Structures are given as C-alpha cells and as structure tokens.
Amino acid sequence: MRDTDQSDIEFEDVPVTDQEIRQMALGYIDTAFAEAVADGIDSAAVAHAALFTALADLVASFGEEAVAELVESFPDRVRRGDYTVMRQFH
C-alpha cells in the first residue's frame, strides 16, 4: 500500500508485546480518523476508506483467501459487540 517505514522515529518505551504494538497502532488510526472528521470529512466516508485500506493491506500481506476467511467472522463479532465502543451493561 504505502511506505510505513518509521525507522527515523524514536520512542522512549519501545513496545515489546503484540498487545502494546496493536494499542499504539490503534492510537495512530484513531488520531488520523479524528483529524479527518475535524477537517469536515464525513465519518462514514472515513470509516469506509479505513476499512478499504485495511483490507487491501491485509490482502497484500496474507492473500485473498485468508482475508475472506477473516471477514467471515465479522457479522458475529459485530452482533456480539466486539466493535461497540460505548456498550451499555445491564
């Protein structure tokens, strides 16, 4: 997709676990999303673009079949609330 080499960036505490790396990545995506919306881009358009970019990158890395198998689980995960940020617990 694009060059993501950030070898010139220095971090005080380099993430060592997969969870820390994923959390940091989510922070970058969240910031970019918020900046786009603040610039007036519709949040649904940003979300669709983010999904397209993510899926295209995964296909490039793992192939179409692997990504197709991954997205097959999405409906159940959405219904289960895996992507609901502000869940109400009863």
Side-chain angles (χ1 to χ4, degrees), residues 6 8 11 13 15 17 20 22-23 28-29 31-32 36 41 56-57 61 66-67 71 76 78 80 84 87:
Q6 297 186 2
D8 59 332
F11 297 99
D13 296 313
T17 69
E20 289 172 320
R22 289 174 186 254
Q23 196 65 35
Y28 279 104
I29 299 302
T31 298
I41 300 173
D57 189 69
S61 296
V67 176
V71 299
D76 291 335
V78 169
R80 186 174 58 220
T84 302
R87 280 192 256 185

PDB file of all heavy atoms in Angstrom, residues 6 8 11 13 15 17 20 22-23 28-29 31-32 36 41 56-57 61 66-67 71 76 78 80 84 87:
ATOM      1  N   GLN A   6       9.128   3.779   9.627  1.00  0.00           N
ATOM      2  CA  GLN A   6       9.264   4.909  10.535  1.00  0.00           C
ATOM      3  C   GLN A   6      10.527   4.746  11.365  1.00  0.00           C
ATOM      4  O   GLN A   6      10.561   5.050  12.544  1.00  0.00           O
ATOM      5  CB  GLN A   6       8.025   5.027  11.422  1.00  0.00           C
ATOM      6  CG  GLN A   6       6.784   5.298  10.612  1.00  0.00           C
ATOM      7  CD  GLN A   6       5.580   5.548  11.490  1.00  0.00           C
ATOM      8  OE1 GLN A   6       5.648   5.571  12.712  1.00  0.00           O
ATOM      9  NE2 GLN A   6       4.452   5.744  10.858  1.00  0.00           N
ATOM     10  N   ASP A   8      13.063   6.419  11.468  1.00  0.00           N
ATOM     11  CA  ASP A   8      13.642   7.654  11.979  1.00  0.00           C
ATOM     12  C   ASP A   8      12.917   8.156  13.224  1.00  0.00           C
ATOM     13  O   ASP A   8      13.350   9.109  13.847  1.00  0.00           O
ATOM     14  CB  ASP A   8      13.639   8.729  10.897  1.00  0.00           C
ATOM     15  CG  ASP A   8      12.247   9.033  10.375  1.00  0.00           C
ATOM     16  OD1 ASP A   8      11.388   8.130  10.410  1.00  0.00           O
ATOM     17  OD2 ASP A   8      12.021  10.170   9.924  1.00  0.00           O
ATOM     18  N   PHE A  11      11.245   6.159  20.032  1.00  0.00           N
ATOM     19  CA  PHE A  11      10.271   6.012  21.097  1.00  0.00           C
ATOM     20  C   PHE A  11      11.010   5.826  22.410  1.00  0.00           C
ATOM     21  O   PHE A  11      12.001   5.110  22.484  1.00  0.00           O
ATOM     22  CB  PHE A  11       9.376   4.787  20.849  1.00  0.00           C
ATOM     23  CG  PHE A  11       8.558   4.905  19.595  1.00  0.00           C
ATOM     24  CD1 PHE A  11       8.951   4.283  18.416  1.00  0.00           C
ATOM     25  CD2 PHE A  11       7.378   5.635  19.598  1.00  0.00           C
ATOM     26  CE1 PHE A  11       8.191   4.395  17.272  1.00  0.00           C
ATOM     27  CE2 PHE A  11       6.616   5.748  18.460  1.00  0.00           C
ATOM     28  CZ  PHE A  11       7.017   5.131  17.291  1.00  0.00           C
ATOM     29  N   ASP A  13       9.759   4.359  25.185  1.00  0.00           N
ATOM     30  CA  ASP A  13       9.499   2.985  25.597  1.00  0.00           C
ATOM     31  C   ASP A  13       9.023   2.213  24.371  1.00  0.00           C
ATOM     32  O   ASP A  13       7.881   2.336  23.963  1.00  0.00           O
ATOM     33  CB  ASP A  13       8.426   2.930  26.690  1.00  0.00           C
ATOM     34  CG  ASP A  13       8.879   3.627  27.958  1.00  0.00           C
ATOM     35  OD1 ASP A  13      10.013   3.365  28.387  1.00  0.00           O
ATOM     36  OD2 ASP A  13       8.093   4.425  28.505  1.00  0.00           O
ATOM     37  N   PRO A  15       7.439  -0.540  22.345  1.00  0.00           N
ATOM     38  CA  PRO A  15       6.503  -1.617  22.690  1.00  0.00           C
ATOM     39  C   PRO A  15       7.159  -2.980  22.500  1.00  0.00           C
ATOM     40  O   PRO A  15       7.858  -3.204  21.525  1.00  0.00           O
ATOM     41  CB  PRO A  15       5.368  -1.429  21.695  1.00  0.00           C
ATOM     42  CG  PRO A  15       5.517  -0.049  21.178  1.00  0.00           C
ATOM     43  CD  PRO A  15       6.961   0.300  21.288  1.00  0.00           C
ATOM     44  N   THR A  17       5.287  -6.033  23.468  1.00  0.00           N
ATOM     45  CA  THR A  17       4.293  -7.081  23.284  1.00  0.00           C
ATOM     46  C   THR A  17       3.412  -6.768  22.092  1.00  0.00           C
ATOM     47  O   THR A  17       3.276  -5.606  21.686  1.00  0.00           O
ATOM     48  CB  THR A  17       3.387  -7.241  24.529  1.00  0.00           C
ATOM     49  OG1 THR A  17       2.560  -6.072  24.650  1.00  0.00           O
ATOM     50  CG2 THR A  17       4.212  -7.439  25.793  1.00  0.00           C
ATOM     51  N   GLU A  20       0.768  -4.248  23.025  1.00  0.00           N
ATOM     52  CA  GLU A  20       1.248  -2.868  23.081  1.00  0.00           C
ATOM     53  C   GLU A  20       1.401  -2.285  21.674  1.00  0.00           C
ATOM     54  O   GLU A  20       1.048  -1.124  21.441  1.00  0.00           O
ATOM     55  CB  GLU A  20       2.580  -2.796  23.823  1.00  0.00           C
ATOM     56  CG  GLU A  20       2.456  -3.036  25.316  1.00  0.00           C
ATOM     57  CD  GLU A  20       3.802  -3.151  25.998  1.00  0.00           C
ATOM     58  OE1 GLU A  20       4.730  -3.769  25.428  1.00  0.00           O
ATOM     59  OE2 GLU A  20       3.924  -2.619  27.112  1.00  0.00           O
ATOM     60  N   ARG A  22      -0.270  -3.237  18.978  1.00  0.00           N
ATOM     61  CA  ARG A  22      -1.622  -3.036  18.438  1.00  0.00           C
ATOM     62  C   ARG A  22      -2.288  -1.816  19.061  1.00  0.00           C
ATOM     63  O   ARG A  22      -2.986  -1.066  18.383  1.00  0.00           O
ATOM     64  CB  ARG A  22      -2.471  -4.279  18.650  1.00  0.00           C
ATOM     65  CG  ARG A  22      -2.055  -5.427  17.755  1.00  0.00           C
ATOM     66  CD  ARG A  22      -2.823  -6.699  18.101  1.00  0.00           C
ATOM     67  NE  ARG A  22      -2.324  -7.815  17.360  1.00  0.00           N
ATOM     68  CZ  ARG A  22      -2.961  -8.375  16.331  1.00  0.00           C
ATOM     69  NH1 ARG A  22      -4.121  -7.914  15.952  1.00  0.00           N
ATOM     70  NH2 ARG A  22      -2.430  -9.396  15.705  1.00  0.00           N
ATOM     71  N   GLN A  23      -2.079  -1.596  20.355  1.00  0.00           N
ATOM     72  CA  GLN A  23      -2.659  -0.435  21.034  1.00  0.00           C
ATOM     73  C   GLN A  23      -2.068   0.847  20.458  1.00  0.00           C
ATOM     74  O   GLN A  23      -2.787   1.825  20.246  1.00  0.00           O
ATOM     75  CB  GLN A  23      -2.401  -0.526  22.539  1.00  0.00           C
ATOM     76  CG  GLN A  23      -3.262   0.397  23.354  1.00  0.00           C
ATOM     77  CD  GLN A  23      -4.737   0.062  23.285  1.00  0.00           C
ATOM     78  OE1 GLN A  23      -5.121  -1.090  23.205  1.00  0.00           O
ATOM     79  NE2 GLN A  23      -5.567   1.075  23.308  1.00  0.00           N
ATOM     80  N   TYR A  28      -2.701   5.619  16.487  1.00  0.00           N
ATOM     81  CA  TYR A  28      -2.407   6.325  15.238  1.00  0.00           C
ATOM     82  C   TYR A  28      -3.650   6.417  14.356  1.00  0.00           C
ATOM     83  O   TYR A  28      -3.963   7.475  13.796  1.00  0.00           O
ATOM     84  CB  TYR A  28      -1.298   5.615  14.447  1.00  0.00           C
ATOM     85  CG  TYR A  28       0.091   5.928  14.924  1.00  0.00           C
ATOM     86  CD1 TYR A  28       0.811   4.994  15.682  1.00  0.00           C
ATOM     87  CD2 TYR A  28       0.715   7.125  14.614  1.00  0.00           C
ATOM     88  CE1 TYR A  28       2.091   5.259  16.115  1.00  0.00           C
ATOM     89  CE2 TYR A  28       2.005   7.398  15.040  1.00  0.00           C
ATOM     90  CZ  TYR A  28       2.690   6.460  15.790  1.00  0.00           C
ATOM     91  OH  TYR A  28       3.962   6.726  16.218  1.00  0.00           O
ATOM     92  N   ILE A  29      -4.372   5.302  14.224  1.00  0.00           N
ATOM     93  CA  ILE A  29      -5.567   5.279  13.386  1.00  0.00           C
ATOM     94  C   ILE A  29      -6.636   6.187  13.977  1.00  0.00           C
ATOM     95  O   ILE A  29      -7.294   6.948  13.256  1.00  0.00           O
ATOM     96  CB  ILE A  29      -6.098   3.834  13.223  1.00  0.00           C
ATOM     97  CG1 ILE A  29      -5.057   2.950  12.541  1.00  0.00           C
ATOM     98  CG2 ILE A  29      -7.422   3.814  12.481  1.00  0.00           C
ATOM     99  CD1 ILE A  29      -4.610   3.422  11.170  1.00  0.00           C
ATOM    100  N   THR A  31      -6.256   8.817  15.848  1.00  0.00           N
ATOM    101  CA  THR A  31      -5.852  10.210  15.648  1.00  0.00           C
ATOM    102  C   THR A  31      -6.107  10.655  14.209  1.00  0.00           C
ATOM    103  O   THR A  31      -6.665  11.738  13.980  1.00  0.00           O
ATOM    104  CB  THR A  31      -4.365  10.403  16.003  1.00  0.00           C
ATOM    105  OG1 THR A  31      -4.188  10.089  17.388  1.00  0.00           O
ATOM    106  CG2 THR A  31      -3.896  11.819  15.732  1.00  0.00           C
ATOM    107  N   ALA A  32      -5.726   9.830  13.254  1.00  0.00           N
ATOM    108  CA  ALA A  32      -5.941  10.169  11.842  1.00  0.00           C
ATOM    109  C   ALA A  32      -7.437  10.294  11.536  1.00  0.00           C
ATOM    110  O   ALA A  32      -7.863  11.201  10.818  1.00  0.00           O
ATOM    111  CB  ALA A  32      -5.303   9.114  10.944  1.00  0.00           C
ATOM    112  N   ALA A  36      -9.367  13.736  10.267  1.00  0.00           N
ATOM    113  CA  ALA A  36     -10.151  13.791   9.032  1.00  0.00           C
ATOM    114  C   ALA A  36     -11.554  14.321   9.304  1.00  0.00           C
ATOM    115  O   ALA A  36     -12.060  15.181   8.569  1.00  0.00           O
ATOM    116  CB  ALA A  36     -10.214  12.408   8.387  1.00  0.00           C
ATOM    117  N   ILE A  41     -14.542  15.882   6.848  1.00  0.00           N
ATOM    118  CA  ILE A  41     -14.850  14.679   6.081  1.00  0.00           C
ATOM    119  C   ILE A  41     -15.838  13.838   6.878  1.00  0.00           C
ATOM    120  O   ILE A  41     -15.658  13.622   8.073  1.00  0.00           O
ATOM    121  CB  ILE A  41     -13.577  13.881   5.754  1.00  0.00           C
ATOM    122  CG1 ILE A  41     -12.617  14.749   4.929  1.00  0.00           C
ATOM    123  CG2 ILE A  41     -13.919  12.593   5.010  1.00  0.00           C
ATOM    124  CD1 ILE A  41     -11.276  14.126   4.695  1.00  0.00           C
ATOM    125  N   ALA A  56      -7.251  -3.994   1.974  1.00  0.00           N
ATOM    126  CA  ALA A  56      -6.289  -4.063   0.866  1.00  0.00           C
ATOM    127  C   ALA A  56      -4.898  -4.415   1.378  1.00  0.00           C
ATOM    128  O   ALA A  56      -4.178  -5.213   0.754  1.00  0.00           O
ATOM    129  CB  ALA A  56      -6.262  -2.730   0.114  1.00  0.00           C
ATOM    130  N   ASP A  57      -4.513  -3.852   2.513  1.00  0.00           N
ATOM    131  CA  ASP A  57      -3.212  -4.150   3.093  1.00  0.00           C
ATOM    132  C   ASP A  57      -3.140  -5.615   3.545  1.00  0.00           C
ATOM    133  O   ASP A  57      -2.136  -6.293   3.326  1.00  0.00           O
ATOM    134  CB  ASP A  57      -2.927  -3.217   4.272  1.00  0.00           C
ATOM    135  CG  ASP A  57      -1.508  -3.348   4.765  1.00  0.00           C
ATOM    136  OD1 ASP A  57      -0.585  -2.945   4.029  1.00  0.00           O
ATOM    137  OD2 ASP A  57      -1.321  -3.886   5.874  1.00  0.00           O
ATOM    138  N   SER A  61      -0.738  -8.647   2.205  1.00  0.00           N
ATOM    139  CA  SER A  61       0.140  -9.371   3.130  1.00  0.00           C
ATOM    140  C   SER A  61      -0.171 -10.854   3.223  1.00  0.00           C
ATOM    141  O   SER A  61       0.743 -11.675   3.314  1.00  0.00           O
ATOM    142  CB  SER A  61       0.044  -8.772   4.538  1.00  0.00           C
ATOM    143  OG  SER A  61       0.515  -7.454   4.537  1.00  0.00           O
ATOM    144  N   ALA A  66      -7.207 -15.878   2.806  1.00  0.00           N
ATOM    145  CA  ALA A  66      -7.042 -15.680   4.249  1.00  0.00           C
ATOM    146  C   ALA A  66      -7.899 -14.511   4.745  1.00  0.00           C
ATOM    147  O   ALA A  66      -8.528 -14.589   5.802  1.00  0.00           O
ATOM    148  CB  ALA A  66      -5.573 -15.438   4.591  1.00  0.00           C
ATOM    149  N   VAL A  67      -7.949 -13.442   3.965  1.00  0.00           N
ATOM    150  CA  VAL A  67      -8.743 -12.282   4.359  1.00  0.00           C
ATOM    151  C   VAL A  67     -10.230 -12.604   4.251  1.00  0.00           C
ATOM    152  O   VAL A  67     -11.020 -12.211   5.119  1.00  0.00           O
ATOM    153  CB  VAL A  67      -8.366 -11.037   3.529  1.00  0.00           C
ATOM    154  CG1 VAL A  67      -9.266  -9.856   3.861  1.00  0.00           C
ATOM    155  CG2 VAL A  67      -6.908 -10.676   3.764  1.00  0.00           C
ATOM    156  N   VAL A  71     -12.910 -12.116   7.337  1.00  0.00           N
ATOM    157  CA  VAL A  71     -14.109 -11.278   7.335  1.00  0.00           C
ATOM    158  C   VAL A  71     -15.394 -12.089   7.488  1.00  0.00           C
ATOM    159  O   VAL A  71     -16.432 -11.527   7.829  1.00  0.00           O
ATOM    160  CB  VAL A  71     -14.184 -10.348   6.103  1.00  0.00           C
ATOM    161  CG1 VAL A  71     -12.992  -9.402   6.077  1.00  0.00           C
ATOM    162  CG2 VAL A  71     -14.297 -11.121   4.814  1.00  0.00           C
ATOM    163  N   ASP A  76     -20.825 -11.999  13.184  1.00  0.00           N
ATOM    164  CA  ASP A  76     -20.996 -12.469  14.562  1.00  0.00           C
ATOM    165  C   ASP A  76     -20.295 -11.551  15.556  1.00  0.00           C
ATOM    166  O   ASP A  76     -20.821 -11.269  16.632  1.00  0.00           O
ATOM    167  CB  ASP A  76     -20.477 -13.901  14.724  1.00  0.00           C
ATOM    168  CG  ASP A  76     -21.342 -14.920  14.001  1.00  0.00           C
ATOM    169  OD1 ASP A  76     -22.543 -14.646  13.792  1.00  0.00           O
ATOM    170  OD2 ASP A  76     -20.816 -15.992  13.654  1.00  0.00           O
ATOM    171  N   VAL A  78     -19.639  -8.331  15.194  1.00  0.00           N
ATOM    172  CA  VAL A  78     -20.368  -7.070  15.283  1.00  0.00           C
ATOM    173  C   VAL A  78     -21.589  -7.258  16.175  1.00  0.00           C
ATOM    174  O   VAL A  78     -21.846  -6.458  17.076  1.00  0.00           O
ATOM    175  CB  VAL A  78     -20.780  -6.559  13.887  1.00  0.00           C
ATOM    176  CG1 VAL A  78     -21.765  -5.408  13.995  1.00  0.00           C
ATOM    177  CG2 VAL A  78     -19.546  -6.144  13.080  1.00  0.00           C
ATOM    178  N   ARG A  80     -22.055  -9.429  18.478  1.00  0.00           N
ATOM    179  CA  ARG A  80     -21.610  -9.714  19.840  1.00  0.00           C
ATOM    180  C   ARG A  80     -21.158  -8.445  20.566  1.00  0.00           C
ATOM    181  O   ARG A  80     -21.047  -8.401  21.780  1.00  0.00           O
ATOM    182  CB  ARG A  80     -20.485 -10.746  19.780  1.00  0.00           C
ATOM    183  CG  ARG A  80     -20.012 -11.255  21.118  1.00  0.00           C
ATOM    184  CD  ARG A  80     -19.010 -12.376  20.984  1.00  0.00           C
ATOM    185  NE  ARG A  80     -17.845 -11.975  20.209  1.00  0.00           N
ATOM    186  CZ  ARG A  80     -17.235 -12.765  19.317  1.00  0.00           C
ATOM    187  NH1 ARG A  80     -17.674 -13.977  19.070  1.00  0.00           N
ATOM    188  NH2 ARG A  80     -16.179 -12.340  18.668  1.00  0.00           N
ATOM    189  N   THR A  84     -18.379  -2.357  19.436  1.00  0.00           N
ATOM    190  CA  THR A  84     -19.205  -1.331  20.063  1.00  0.00           C
ATOM    191  C   THR A  84     -18.378  -0.666  21.158  1.00  0.00           C
ATOM    192  O   THR A  84     -17.988  -1.323  22.117  1.00  0.00           O
ATOM    193  CB  THR A  84     -20.487  -1.947  20.659  1.00  0.00           C
ATOM    194  OG1 THR A  84     -21.195  -2.609  19.608  1.00  0.00           O
ATOM    195  CG2 THR A  84     -21.366  -0.877  21.269  1.00  0.00           C
ATOM    196  N   ARG A  87     -20.650   0.454  25.078  1.00  0.00           N
ATOM    197  CA  ARG A  87     -21.631  -0.582  25.401  1.00  0.00           C
ATOM    198  C   ARG A  87     -22.338  -0.270  26.698  1.00  0.00           C
ATOM    199  O   ARG A  87     -21.727   0.213  27.637  1.00  0.00           O
ATOM    200  CB  ARG A  87     -20.963  -1.939  25.528  1.00  0.00           C
ATOM    201  CG  ARG A  87     -20.680  -2.589  24.220  1.00  0.00           C
ATOM    202  CD  ARG A  87     -20.294  -4.002  24.462  1.00  0.00           C
ATOM    203  NE  ARG A  87     -18.850  -4.089  24.296  1.00  0.00           N
ATOM    204  CZ  ARG A  87     -18.167  -5.202  24.344  1.00  0.00           C
ATOM    205  NH1 ARG A  87     -18.761  -6.318  24.612  1.00  0.00           N
ATOM    206  NH2 ARG A  87     -16.884  -5.194  24.152  1.00  0.00           N
TER     207      ARG A  87
END
